[in-house]
């Protein structure tokens, strides 16, 4: 019986024991994972979630940003906090229109706040793919109407787009070009920017004034104004312009950087056509042209930029030559020479001569050194392949001076004077420009003779 009992005894199979052991290990791993998660919270593991979020209300945004780097677990808790109503109220300040509040230095406080918020969200989403980071950030910011291209009813008196711009600048600083391309495409999709640009560049200038203003503010405040390095500014300006044909690029460049009314901020399309303008009206365009001509703008050739300048000079119709000359001077020596050399190479000698005279006139009016204009003419003369072509150009310059003086003198003698007596003033400037221009040529000639 005893032996029978022993042989009928059934032992527990080893396989079942191993399954039981694995389940046991899984429970242990789960406990270990929970303990690791709790240990990643440090002393915060003793606090309920509600108390943890209350503590965050006593920290500055910069301090919360530093806290997000402690561990992935804390970072996830902060992401959840940002999405809560209390987190939204705390972090998404929308005081964009009270620019004259005491002790707030014309809105600089709110710009600094969004810089800090950009760093916070950059750190919280550090381990996520770019696509997921952008989706989450859009989810957080989507309720702020002043961040949208058409969102604010008073865009000229709003800091919303500027805050959005500094936020994006901090968020994307250090990202590679591929990621920044994705950011631009994402912003275009959210704002419907390409379709809106298509509307303004294909319509009669000024027929969509409000949309022109909003595109200008969005491109400048969100995409262009806040970069420290010129290469970054060139990248974003290239993204805005390159999808369009050259004629549309010129129109868009004028919308973004051209002169605007001091009363309502709308683009002034007739400024370059109706009369001579000042440096202030041209500085934005000149800076943009220099940016694209810079070596940092790898997607632009010198021919591209010169073609863009040429196209710009007929937006919306042909500019006064004086305004062309002033733009070239503001754009710098390299662009000015390249533009003039292209005319010399293409046989546009009379145009080149007129431009040379107006460069001298602008130097006289704006108190630039006249020897600059003479040296520029010397440099251009070397582009001509034969002495005959060069001499023909010099003769054209003298003829243009003579014809312009006669035309202005006739206007003065006709007695058609306005309140500012501009006809006489223009003649005065031109005669002085010719005298000083030739004086510099004489100085240059005499120095050359004395050295030989």
């Amino acid at each position: 019986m005893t032996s029978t009992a022993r042989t009928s005894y059934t032992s527990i199979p080893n396989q079942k024991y191993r399954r039981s052991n694995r389940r046991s290990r899984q429970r242990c791993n789960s406990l270990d994972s929970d303990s690791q998660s709790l240990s990643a919270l440090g002393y915060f593991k003793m606090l309920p979630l509600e108390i943890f979020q209350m503590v965050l209300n006593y920290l500055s945004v910069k301090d919360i940003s530093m806290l997000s780097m402690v561990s992935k677990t804390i970072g996830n808790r902060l992401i959840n906090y940002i999405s809560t109503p209390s987190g939204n109220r705390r972090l998404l300040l929308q005081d964009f229109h009270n620019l004259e509040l005491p002790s707030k230095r014309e809105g600089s406080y709110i710009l600094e706040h969004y810089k800090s918020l950009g760093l916070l969200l950059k750190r919280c989403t550090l381990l996520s793919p770019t696509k997921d980071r952008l989706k989450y950030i859009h989810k957080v910011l989507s309720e702020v109407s002043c961040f949208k291209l058409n969102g604010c009813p008073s865009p000229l008196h709003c800091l919303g787009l500027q805050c959005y711009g500094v936020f994006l600048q901090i968020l994307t600083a250090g990202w590679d070009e591929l990621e920044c391309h994705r950011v631009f495409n994402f912003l275009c999709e959210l704002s419907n920017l390409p379709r809106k640009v298509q509307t303004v560049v294909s319509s009669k200038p000024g027929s969509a004034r409000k949309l022109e203003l909003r595109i200008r503010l969005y491109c400048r405040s969100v995409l262009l104004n806040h970069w420290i390095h010129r290469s970054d500014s060139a990248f974003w300006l290239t993204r805005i312009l390159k999808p369009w044909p050259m004629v549309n690029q010129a129109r868009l460049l004028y919308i973004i950087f051209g002169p605007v009314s001091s009363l309502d901020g709308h683009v002034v399309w007739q400024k370059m056509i109706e009369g001579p303008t000042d440096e202030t009206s041209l500085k934005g365009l000149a800076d943009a042209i220099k940016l694209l001509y810079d070596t940092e703008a790898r997607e632009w050739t010198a021919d591209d930029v010169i073609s863009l300048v040429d196209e710009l000079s007929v937006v919306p119709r042909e500019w006064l030559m004086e305004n062309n000359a002033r733009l070239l001077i503001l754009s710098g020596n390299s662009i000015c020479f390249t533009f003039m050399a292209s005319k010399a190479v293409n046989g546009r000698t009379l145009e080149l001569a007129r431009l040379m005279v107006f460069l001298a006139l602008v130097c006289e009016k704006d108190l630039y050194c006249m020897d600059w204009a003479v040296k520029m003419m010397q440099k251009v003369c070397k582009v001509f392949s034969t002495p005959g072509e060069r001499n023909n150009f010099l003769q054209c310059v003298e003829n243009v001076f003579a014809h312009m003086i006669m035309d202005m003198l006739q206007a003065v003698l006709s007695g058609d004077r306005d309140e500012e007596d501009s006809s006489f003033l223009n003649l005065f400037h031109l005669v002085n420009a010719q005298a000083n221009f030739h004086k510099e040529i004489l100085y240059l000639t005499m120095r050359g003779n004395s050295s030989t």
Side-chain angles (χ1 to χ4, degrees), residues 269-334:
W269 289 99
Q270 306 302 316
K271 186 83 170 178
M272 307 301 171
I273 302 165
E274 293 177 343
T277 188
D278 55 9
E279 291 184 7
T280 305
S281 300
L282 289 164
K283 189 177 185 306
L285 290 169
D287 288 344
I289 291 165
K290 283 191 286 187
L291 187 67
L292 298 178
Y293 192 80
D294 203 347
T295 54
E296 298 287 354
R298 297 188 300 276
E299 297 175 59
W300 298 83
T301 65
D303 287 342
D304 289 337
V305 178
I306 297 308
S307 297
L308 182 60
V309 174
D310 215 13
E311 198 67 55
L312 185 64
S313 66
V314 293
V315 173
R317 296 192 305 279
E318 188 174 357
W319 290 12
L320 294 182
M321 188 63 79
E322 182 178 329
N323 293 333
N324 273 332
R326 189 169 278 108
L327 176 65
L328 287 174
I329 290 174
L330 292 173
S331 298
N333 291 354
S334 295

Side-chain angles (χ1 to χ4, degrees), residues 137-149:
I137 288 163
H138 169 62
K139 180 182 176 182
V140 171
L141 303 181
S142 60
E143 298 304 316
V144 184
S145 61
C146 289
F147 286 172
K148 300 173 183 176
L149 192 148

